[in-house]
Amino acid sequence: MAPQDDSYPGVSYVMPVLNEVDYVAGAVSAILRQEYPGAQQLILALGPSTDGTTELVEQLLRDDPRVTFVYNPETHIPVGMNLAVRASEHPIIVRVDAHSELSAGYTLRAVQTLQRTGAANVGGLMNGQGRTPFQSAVARAYNSKFGLGGGAYHSGRAEGPAESAYLGVFRREVLLDVGLYDESLRRGEDWELNLRIRAAGHRVWFDPELTVTYWPRENWRKLARQFFTTGVWRAELVRRYRTKNPWRFFAPPLLVLAVPVAVIVLALQLTGVLSGLLGVIASLVYLAPVAYLLLVVWVSFVREPGETVRDRLIFLIVLPTMHLSWGAGFLRGILRGGRDTLDTSRSAG
């Protein structure tokens, strides 16, 4: 890090950590390499990990006095974030996840953008990356407009005001004024927080010059769990905030509903229950799933530099997993709410 210059506002990095033994060292290293002139501290909100993360964090604490921690026995991200923010010392809060790595110059650029725009929160691009063919396929989906619905921080657009921000670099006083993260949520806490920030009259800002490397889930089971849980909690947010949610969030659950309806119609047609003009009209239900299948195949086999046929086949599995898991979770959440649904993709198993 650069020598400290007190003319720059101090920053506190806050990071929730649970079962991240393969990623937390990289995330911490990227923070400690930031060449930011102001004072800095890193607060890890450490959950009760079972994969060796706690022991690794203890070593990181010994290696650098700028690293400290708060214990988060409840494991939930919003709870850990609030504990870390309350323990922070500086006027700028930089949120970081253990599955992410800040790019060089991230902090300085973000603070300059805060000052230049007067925003309360700024964020940039999520740059998905993979270490294995499966993880690389998930990363490609994260970076695709088709994969996650076209949010600015996934696919990018011009700098300007935004609905939400990936991770986020905040003015601490604004976080405290709006009541910090909603601890009743288990996913979607960032979107909900940014909604309250904007409702309070502040600005959320997207700066495409800010980039963060994100390492997605490593296998199919964890990916499906993650997206199912995300869908459940997005539905909970729809229940709470109704029309304030973007329309794109309703596409995956409608697709999930269309698939069984199409199967039922096909069975009725094959058995002769639906025939004639009524059968022709009923065939319209095939349009959505067939169009989706063709689109997935087309997107999967668009050539990317360095991709093999195997990579594209994996991507062909990854996309429907993300969309259908999210949609199924959304339908459950609409019917039952979030309740006690947890993101078990963060477990060690």
Side-chain angles (χ1 to χ4, degrees), residues 229-243:
T229 305
T230 302
V232 169
W233 285 100
R234 173 51 62 183
E236 174 65 29
L237 290 171
V238 168
R239 287 164 64 106
R240 295 187 190 189
Y241 294 103
R242 307 289 180 180
T243 57

Side-chain angles (χ1 to χ4, degrees), residues 332-344:
R332 176 178 172 178
I334 283 293
L335 294 174
R336 301 179 66 248
R339 295 191 182 183
D340 57 351
T341 304
L342 303 178
D343 182 5
T344 56

Side-chain angles (χ1 to χ4, degrees), residues 93 135 159 276:
I93 300 296
Q135 196 177 44
E159 181 179 9

Side-chain angles (χ1 to χ4, degrees), residues 61-82:
L61 296 174
R62 290 191 292 268
D63 290 344
D64 197 304
R66 293 166 294 186
V67 184
T68 185
F69 84 101
V70 291
Y71 188 57
N72 177 23
E74 295 190 40
T75 75
H76 307 312
I77 289 175
V79 175
M81 289 297 300
N82 289 347

Side-chain angles (χ1 to χ4, degrees), residues 140 299-305 307 312:
R140 179 184 165 192
V299 172
S300 299
F301 283 87
V302 170
R303 184 172 297 278
E304 293 284 332
E307 276 197 344
R312 290 193 280 273

Side-chain angles (χ1 to χ4, degrees), residues 22-320:
D22 293 329
Y23 297 96
V24 67
V28 169
S29 177
I31 291 171
L32 299 180
R33 292 196 305 268
Q34 292 290 303
E35 295 185 353
Y36 179 73
Q40 299 175 86
Q41 68 172 160
L42 167 57
I43 306 171
L44 305 177
L46 182 61
S49 301
T50 58
D51 67 343
T53 294
T54 300
E55 293 75 13
L56 178 55
V57 166
E58 290 172 351
Q59 183 61 52
L60 295 172
L61 296 174
R62 290 191 292 268
D63 290 344
D64 197 304
R66 293 166 294 186
V67 184
T68 185
F69 84 101
V70 291
Y71 188 57
N72 177 23
E74 295 190 40
T75 75
H76 307 312
I77 289 175
V79 175
M81 289 297 300
N82 289 347
L83 289 170
V85 171
R86 292 188 183 104
S88 64
E89 301 173 354
H90 300 304
I92 304 297
I93 300 296
V94 181
R95 172 171 178 166
V96 190
D97 282 346
H99 262 250
S100 66
E101 295 180 16
L102 304 183
S103 59
Y106 178 92
T107 306
L108 180 58
R109 170 78 187 195
V111 172
Q112 290 173 337
T113 302
L114 275 176
Q115 295 173 330
R116 172 171 55 86
T117 63
N121 180 24
V122 303
L125 284 169
M126 172 195 281
N127 179 25
Q129 295 290 326
R131 298 171 179 172
T132 66
F134 183 88
Q135 196 177 44
S136 295
V138 180
R140 179 184 165 192
Y142 267 88
N143 297 337
S144 165
K145 290 183 178 181
F146 184 66
L148 289 179
Y153 56 84
H154 291 301
S155 53
R157 59 168 171 75
E159 181 179 9
E163 171 193 337
S164 186
Y166 175 54
L167 299 180
V169 178
F170 302 86
R171 298 182 189 273
R172 186 177 187 271
E173 73 268 21
V174 173
L175 282 178
L176 296 175
D177 287 345
V178 301
L180 298 175
Y181 289 87
D182 186 338
E183 295 185 3
S184 70
L185 297 173
R186 299 295 172 259
R187 301 285 297 180
E189 70 279 354
D190 294 297
W191 181 88
E192 194 276 341
L193 173 62
N194 282 292
L195 178 67
R196 284 187 283 119
I197 288 174
R198 290 187 290 110
H202 302 289
R203 180 182 292 175
V204 178
W205 194 264
F206 172 71
D207 182 355
E209 295 299 316
L210 297 171
T211 61
V212 181
T213 295
Y214 173 74
W215 303 100
R217 298 299 187 264
E218 308 89 345
N219 58 56
W220 182 87
R221 183 174 62 177
K222 286 190 174 184
L223 182 70
R225 288 175 177 177
Q226 178 192 23
F227 273 79
F228 180 84
T229 305
T230 302
V232 169
W233 285 100
R234 173 51 62 183
E236 174 65 29
L237 290 171
V238 168
R239 287 164 64 106
R240 295 187 190 189
Y241 294 103
R242 307 289 180 180
T243 57
K244 294 181 180 179
N245 291 265
W247 67 267
R248 65 179 182 272
F249 293 134
F250 296 90
L254 289 175
L255 175 65
V256 171
L257 288 174
V259 172
V261 170
V263 171
I264 293 171
V265 168
L266 177 61
L268 293 175
Q269 288 174 330
L270 292 176
T271 56
V273 176
L274 281 177
S275 59
L277 180 59
L278 185 59
V280 172
I281 295 173
S283 297
L284 293 175
V285 302
Y286 301 139
L287 290 178
V290 169
Y292 175 77
L293 178 61
L294 293 175
L295 186 58
V296 167
V297 171
W298 179 76
V299 172
S300 299
F301 283 87
V302 170
R303 184 172 297 278
E304 293 284 332
E307 276 197 344
T308 65
V309 172
R310 179 193 179 200
D311 295 330
R312 290 193 280 273
L313 289 173
I314 295 173
F315 189 74
L316 184 64
I317 296 171
V318 161
L319 269 183

Side-chain angles (χ1 to χ4, degrees), residues 2-24:
Q4 183 171 320
D5 182 343
D6 291 338
S7 66
Y8 286 80
V11 300
S12 296
Y13 303 91
V14 292
M15 181 195 302
V17 179
L18 176 67
N19 291 319
E20 298 289 5
V21 70
D22 293 329
Y23 297 96
V24 67

